Amino acid sequence: MENEKIDYEIWVPAYKREDIEVSNHGRIRGTNKKEVLKTYNPKLGTNVFIGMVINYWNEDVIISELMAETFLNNLYFKQEKKIIKFRDGNRFNNHVNNLELISEQENNKRNFKLQNL
């Protein structure tokens, strides 16, 4: 599946990273070999996950943040929209259509509604 061709997949240069490309399906590949990079899921503690990650120049890069920077960058850097949410709640689904940027206020409202269901 890693290097498999996916219908309607669009590859663009990653934001501020010249040697990798990002697809609208949330996959990352090197620009030289065009091979999809392996992702992994680091566990930060008991049941604490940050989502899928790649190792880029000995630094862990969270794929959802890379996707937001690349595809949603006109919104990503606005002060009021700085929280990345997964529409389907699945942190492993990094498709661009599954990501949205919300403000802290919106996030607090959503969390309050969920707690009071």
Side-chain angles (χ1 to χ4, degrees):
M1 171 84 177
E2 284 180 4
N3 289 312
E4 187 176 301
K5 185 172 170 35
I6 297 176
D7 289 339
Y8 308 107
E9 186 169 31
I10 299 166
W11 290 93
V12 298
Y15 182 75
K16 290 190 176 182
R17 293 174 170 89
E18 298 172 6
D19 54 347
I20 57 175
E21 295 177 327
V22 180
S23 93
N24 59 324
H25 286 265
R27 300 193 311 164
I28 315 297
R29 71 180 182 189
T31 55
N32 292 341
K33 294 183 180 178
K34 302 290 185 192
E35 289 182 6
V36 175
L37 301 177
K38 292 187 186 212
T39 60
Y40 62 97
N41 178 28
K43 194 170 180 181
L44 299 179
T46 308
N47 297 325
V48 178
F49 299 98
I50 58 173
M52 298 307 290
V53 170
I54 62 165
N55 189 282
Y56 177 76
W57 292 97
N58 294 325
E59 175 188 349
D60 287 343
V61 177
I62 301 169
I63 293 175
S64 58
E65 290 180 4
L66 187 59
M67 294 290 293
E69 289 171 344
T70 302
F71 288 100
L72 308 173
N73 66 8
N74 60 335
L75 299 173
Y76 190 76
F77 298 105
K78 287 186 179 177
Q79 203 66 11
E80 69 274 5
K81 303 275 186 179
K82 57 185 176 182
I83 297 173
I84 301 168
K85 290 298 255 186
F86 297 84
R87 289 188 170 131
D88 67 0
N90 180 358
R91 290 186 166 275
F92 306 114
N93 180 2
N94 287 296
H95 193 287
V96 71
N97 291 338
N98 189 44
L99 302 176
E100 68 177 321
L101 296 170
I102 62 173
S103 68
E104 265 188 68
Q105 184 178 11
E106 289 171 303
N107 191 44
N108 291 338
K109 274 185 190 176
R110 289 183 189 186
N111 289 339
F112 181 77
K113 283 181 184 177
L114 286 175
Q115 290 172 357
N116 293 310
L117 286 179

